Amino acid sequence: DGVTTIGESAFYDCDNLVNITISETVNYINYSAFSGCTNLTDVTIPDSVFYIGDYAFENCDSLTSITIPESVTDIGDYSFIYCDNLASINVVPSNSFYSSSDGVLFNQPPTQLIYYPAGNTSDYYTIPDEVTTIADYAFAYCVNLTDVIIPSSVSYIGDNAFWGCDNITTITIPDSVYHIGDFAFCCCTNLTSVTLSNNLNTIGNYVFDSCFNLTDITIPDTVTSIGEYAFASCYRLPSITIPSSVTSIGESAFDNCESLKSIVIPKGVTTINENAFLECSGFTGDLIIPDGVTSIGKSAFSGCNNLNKVVLNNNLAAIDDKAFYKCTKLTNITIPSKVKVIGEGAFYGCKNLKKITIKTTKLTNKNVGKKAFKGISSKAVIKVPKSKAAAYKKLLESKGLNKKVKIKK
């Protein structure tokens, strides 16, 4: 008695703690107070508590239910995350700040779905029509769910909202949604089909990362940017149309999408960031870099070992390190006249590259990286500007070019 605060991490990782009675003098349960109490099965929060801190009951694996009393006015972020067997969170009806329905936690009135307990055994859930916001981590690791219906009242989906929902197979995001947070559907490993809102401006970072079985998705023509790792490791994605509205493709956006057969980069794109299409080994046919792109990021197309042809635009100024590393089926390339930089290993290991036309006169020892053309075909012929024949032969050989390769004016 007399204790008013349970301090930060007070019972952290007390894995022998099975039940606890909290004194009616306690007002605050602070950050990670009971985090990692994996055998805690029973806790009663008294009507004196105002505040439940961030991660307060994180990873309490044996907790199956919890009741939020009338006194609680503030529940911190991720208070019940990783509670794999928590089946229900029940808020007393007289609480003015929070509410619950069928064991799901909401604010009051219920416009924000805060947390759907990961231990709920139902495989189907319809979000109530009053909800406008799905909070960060709201459905994270809800592995029992196979289907979630999002109503047209929802406008905002938070970060990590459906992270790790392994058994959801399809999702429809209504046109009312204007924002999908980073990592929102990351690691939904059995997700196969997604219908996106037609009012999105951005596909955020990591949104569909590691959705291994995703095969069907259309990016709406309202989207202007595709974030970092947005579709990384979507191994089975066979095709995707990037709409003409897109101007930026983020770092590793399609990294390791090994089933992608072709890609058309829209004319409006100005930035292809590093690793954007790394290890897209299913790429075949031609790749055309549009006129607005002035630089190709590091390893942007590295390991695209079935890519046959690349057409670089006349405004290109830089080809960064390993941009086309080990594109082993690439047979010819033209380096445009405005290129000033060819990075280290840019065309390293392109063993079938036999015809190279270099139009630029701006290459120097300083801005051509090591091994830029190392490992191309020893039968290759490189055509260079007449005034640069001798200088480029010396330069390229110093950067790893096989001396058997012919340099022609």
Side-chain angles (χ1 to χ4, degrees):
D1 287 347
V3 173
T4 60
T5 300
I6 299 176
E8 291 187 8
S9 304
F11 295 92
Y12 181 84
D13 271 359
C14 290
D15 52 13
N16 290 319
L17 187 66
V18 175
N19 59 69
I20 190 163
T21 300
I22 299 173
S23 168
E24 291 185 0
T25 61
V26 170
N27 303 133
Y28 300 95
I29 300 173
N30 279 338
Y31 176 92
S32 284
F34 296 95
S35 178
C37 295
T38 55
N39 288 302
L40 181 64
T41 60
D42 185 35
V43 60
T44 300
I45 300 173
D47 210 16
S48 56
V49 171
F50 306 138
Y51 174 73
I52 300 172
D54 297 350
Y55 298 98
F57 294 94
E58 174 200 18
N59 201 26
C60 290
D61 285 345
S62 299
L63 200 61
T64 58
S65 69
I66 197 160
T67 298
I68 308 297
E70 178 183 358
S71 58
V72 171
T73 62
D74 190 359
I75 299 175
D77 294 333
Y78 325 127
S79 297
F80 305 102
I81 196 168
Y82 308 132
C83 294
D84 294 343
N85 291 297
L86 184 62
S88 65
I89 300 171
N90 301 302
V91 181
V92 298
S94 54
N95 189 299
S96 299
F97 295 87
Y98 296 96
S99 62
S100 62
S101 178
D102 298 323
V104 180
L105 179 65
F106 300 88
N107 65 345
Q108 177 71 282
T111 58
Q112 183 184 50
L113 193 158
I114 298 171
Y115 192 69
Y116 182 99
N120 189 318
T121 57
S122 177
D123 62 358
Y124 180 92
Y125 184 68
T126 299
I127 296 172
D129 288 339
E130 301 96 325
V131 172
T132 61
T133 299
I134 299 172
D136 296 353
Y137 286 94
F139 291 90
Y141 301 104
C142 291
V143 296
N144 294 316
L145 283 173
T146 60
D147 195 10
V148 175
I149 305 300
I150 302 173
S152 59
S153 57
V154 171
S155 60
Y156 187 96
I157 298 174
D159 295 348
N160 305 82
F162 293 88
W163 173 299
C165 291
D166 285 345
N167 290 305
I168 289 179
T169 56
T170 64
I171 199 84
T172 297
I173 300 169
D175 288 346
S176 56
V177 174
Y178 68 87
H179 175 85
I180 300 176
D182 295 344
F183 296 90
F185 296 92
C186 180
C187 300
C188 291
T189 55
N190 284 299
L191 185 64
T192 60
S193 178
V194 176
T195 301
L196 290 173
S197 163
N198 285 312
N199 286 304
L200 293 175
N201 291 321
T202 301
I203 306 292
N205 300 330
Y206 297 85
V207 171
F208 298 102
D209 179 23
S210 299
C211 291
F212 303 141
N213 288 294
L214 184 63
T215 58
D216 181 24
I217 189 167
T218 299
I219 300 173
D221 59 11
T222 53
V223 170
T224 58
S225 66
I226 298 173
E228 298 176 5
Y229 293 86
F231 296 94
S233 298
C234 291
Y235 298 136
R236 295 191 178 181
L237 189 63
S239 64
I240 196 161
T241 299
I242 301 174
S244 58
S245 54
V246 171
T247 59
S248 176
I249 299 173
E251 177 184 340
S252 297
F254 295 93
D255 182 349
N256 215 10
C257 289
E258 59 188 34
S259 295
L260 273 179
K261 301 300 181 187
S262 64
I263 196 77
V264 176
I265 299 173
K267 292 181 180 179
V269 169
T270 58
T271 305
I272 301 174
N273 285 297
E274 62 182 90
N275 302 327
F277 296 94
L278 175 69
E279 300 291 345
C280 289
S281 55
F283 271 9
T284 58
D286 299 353
L287 173 67
I288 299 173
I289 306 297
D291 290 343
V293 175
T294 56
S295 68
I296 298 173
K298 293 179 180 179
S299 299
F301 298 95
S302 177
C304 295
N305 53 22
N306 282 299
L307 187 60
N308 295 320
K309 183 179 179 181
V310 175
V311 179
L312 303 177
N313 74 70
N314 290 325
N315 295 313
L316 193 67
I319 303 169
D320 281 349
D321 299 350
K322 295 186 176 181
F324 295 96
Y325 178 86
K326 290 194 174 180
C327 291
T328 54
K329 289 193 176 179
L330 192 62
T331 59
N332 67 83
I333 193 82
T334 296
I335 311 295
S337 60
K338 292 183 180 180
V339 171
K340 296 178 182 179
V341 176
I342 300 178
E344 181 175 343
F347 295 94
Y348 181 98
C350 296
K351 62 183 181 180
N352 286 303
L353 188 54
K354 295 179 180 178
K355 182 180 179 182
I356 302 172
T357 301
I358 299 177
K359 294 185 175 181
T360 179
T361 59
K362 300 177 175 67
L363 301 180
T364 65
N365 185 61
K366 188 175 181 179
N367 58 24
V368 175
K370 296 176 182 178
K371 303 178 182 179
F373 291 95
K374 185 176 178 63
I376 68 169
S377 173
S378 61
K379 297 179 180 179
V381 175
I382 302 178
K383 186 177 181 180
V384 302
K386 185 181 296 186
S387 62
K388 292 289 184 177
Y392 278 7
K393 177 177 174 61
K394 182 178 180 181
L395 171 63
L396 296 178
E397 286 180 355
S398 74
K399 303 297 182 178
L401 184 70
N402 192 319
K403 292 185 177 181
K404 293 181 180 179
V405 173
K406 293 181 180 178
I407 305 291
K408 296 179 68 174
K409 301 176 186 178

